[in-house]
Amino acid sequence: QVRLVEFGGGLVQAGGSLKLSCVSSGRTFGNYAMGWFRQAIGKEREFVASISFGCGYAPYADSVQGRFNISRDNAKSTVYLQMDDLKPEDTATYYCAADAQPFRVLPGLTSREYAYWGRGTQVTVSS
């Protein structure tokens, strides 16, 4: 089975930065696309960013474009989300997700395309 564990959430002021990490276990990490999603209280889960198995393509939601950066270290079975210039509207629980099939060049942009999920890490941005 695949397990995902997120780290790095916390409380920051607007304009600050956080770096989230997600450690995977249970299969060959480097063969699968990975994604980050977030969900605020009372709202639906939304796409943040994803990255292909070969790191060649990494789409972002319009709301975070230019501020967030997704990356991965296959040797460490870890995907990262560097978040800069954080805004109060970024406040949410952030989840990492793993694709169900290997070698996907174009990672999915919706939650239903991912088979495995972490339990989430809370990010709170004060104004």
Side-chain angles (χ1 to χ4, degrees):
Q1 61 179 357
V2 177
R3 291 182 292 174
L4 305 173
V5 182
E6 301 97 337
F7 301 92
L11 174 64
V12 299
Q13 296 186 42
S17 298
L18 284 174
K19 186 174 184 178
L20 306 183
S21 301
C22 176
V23 181
S24 175
S25 63
R27 67 180 182 179
T28 304
F29 173 82
N31 292 344
Y32 296 84
M34 299 291 296
W36 284 98
F37 293 77
R38 66 187 182 186
Q39 185 170 23
I41 296 177
K43 299 182 179 179
E44 296 183 348
R45 186 170 299 184
E46 64 177 352
F47 169 79
V48 176
S50 61
I51 186 167
S52 66
F53 81 97
C55 305
Y57 182 66
Y60 296 85
D62 290 342
S63 59
V64 305
Q65 182 71 46
R67 299 188 297 117
F68 290 12
N69 182 68
I70 187 171
S71 62
R72 64 192 299 164
D73 186 336
N74 292 338
K76 297 180 179 180
S77 297
T78 301
V79 62
Y80 305 95
L81 185 67
Q82 176 66 47
M83 305 184 294
D84 296 323
D85 191 24
L86 284 162
K87 302 177 180 180
E89 52 263 42
D90 294 319
T91 296
T93 300
Y94 284 70
Y95 301 88
C96 65
D99 200 350
Q101 64 184 73
F103 310 120
R104 191 188 299 276
V105 176
L106 301 177
L109 305 180
T110 62
S111 60
R112 64 178 179 272
E113 297 174 87
Y114 295 84
Y116 306 100
W117 296 83
R119 294 186 180 276
T121 185
Q122 179 66 36
V123 173
T124 302
V125 184
S126 64
S127 58

